[in-house]
Amino acid sequence: MELFLIAIGACLVNNVVLSQFLGLCPFIGVSKKVDTAAGMGGAVIFVVTIASAITNLIYTHVLEKLNITYLQTIVFILVIAALVQFVEMFLKKMVPSLYKALGVYLPLITTNCAVLGVALLNVQKSYGFVASVINGFGTAVGFTIAIVIMAGIREKIEYNDIPESFKGTPIVLLTAGLMAMAFFGFSGLIK
């Protein structure tokens, strides 16, 4: 039950984009088309879940044992960068259309503060291995839900009559704010 609550909390209640405001760069940059947003979400799910597992193992079995926990941020960034390189090579070879559609935002997963934030939050909350993986997966699913919803909304409002001063980024930020308020409704779900 505790793991279920961690997953629901990470996915909906403490949504990484709409509640913690982490990972806004790909959220705003890649959310123009639903298929591209879903592809980015899939890549983020893979990277965050695997990074949560690997960083937990490295932290507990290497950094804590050697009493060098102060290196956690650097080590976590290196792990995340290696995983993103793997995803990039896979997409370039297997799904070149998605690779081109994601463009510069795919390598930016490395510097996506949401990915590093999850690894650091797992350490801060003293999650074990399974809880870290569940939290990472739940967080990534929450990111995917948010980016796909945003992409769907952006596809619909693209053809609407919007005042000139709201076109582009202003309407996207306004939409994100309204989505954050909607997700705030989940805050009473878990205590």
Side-chain angles (χ1 to χ4, degrees), residues 71-125:
L71 292 175
Q72 71 185 7
T73 304
I74 295 168
V75 172
F76 291 176
I77 288 172
L78 291 174
V79 167
I80 293 164
L83 286 170
V84 170
Q85 286 298 314
F86 174 73
V87 169
E88 194 171 359
M89 289 186 305
F90 174 79
L91 289 179
K92 190 173 188 179
K93 180 85 171 157
M94 304 305 272
V95 193
S97 60
L98 180 59
Y99 175 78
K100 285 183 180 178
L102 292 175
V104 72
Y105 293 100
L106 185 59
L108 283 178
I109 294 175
T110 304
T111 58
N112 184 345
C113 53
V115 182
L116 179 60
V118 172
L120 293 174
L121 282 173
N122 288 339
V123 170
Q124 273 183 341
K125 293 182 178 183

Side-chain angles (χ1 to χ4, degrees), residues 4-159:
F4 178 74
L5 292 176
I6 289 173
I8 293 299
C11 184
L12 298 174
V13 178
N14 299 314
N15 186 286
V16 71
V17 176
L18 301 173
S19 167
Q20 298 175 6
F21 306 111
L22 297 174
L24 290 176
C25 178
F27 175 70
I28 291 173
V30 181
S31 63
K32 292 178 182 158
K33 300 240 177 270
V34 172
D35 8 333
T36 308
M40 174 60 100
V44 168
I45 287 173
F46 176 79
V47 169
V48 171
T49 305
I50 302 300
S52 295
I54 293 172
T55 55
N56 179 275
L57 292 173
I58 289 173
Y59 185 81
T60 52
H61 297 295
V62 177
L63 298 178
E64 278 188 332
K65 297 270 192 243
L66 298 175
N67 199 25
I68 54 172
T69 55
Y70 57 88
L71 292 175
Q72 71 185 7
T73 304
I74 295 168
V75 172
F76 291 176
I77 288 172
L78 291 174
V79 167
I80 293 164
L83 286 170
V84 170
Q85 286 298 314
F86 174 73
V87 169
E88 194 171 359
M89 289 186 305
F90 174 79
L91 289 179
K92 190 173 188 179
K93 180 85 171 157
M94 304 305 272
V95 193
S97 60
L98 180 59
Y99 175 78
K100 285 183 180 178
L102 292 175
V104 72
Y105 293 100
L106 185 59
L108 283 178
I109 294 175
T110 304
T111 58
N112 184 345
C113 53
V115 182
L116 179 60
V118 172
L120 293 174
L121 282 173
N122 288 339
V123 170
Q124 273 183 341
K125 293 182 178 183
S126 301
Y127 284 154
F129 178 76
V130 175
S132 291
V133 172
I134 296 293
N135 185 51
F137 180 75
T139 301
V141 168
F143 176 86
T144 303
I145 289 169
I147 197 170
V148 168
I149 290 172
M150 174 61 93
I153 292 170
R154 284 181 77 175
E155 282 184 356
K156 295 289 183 193
I157 64 174
E158 184 178 333
Y159 302 109

Side-chain angles (χ1 to χ4, degrees), residues 160-182:
N160 289 347
D161 187 25
I162 299 170
E164 192 64 37
S165 60
F166 281 102
K167 286 186 179 178
T169 306
I171 194 72
V172 173
L173 293 175
L174 185 63
T175 304
L178 292 171
M179 286 175 60
M181 286 176 23

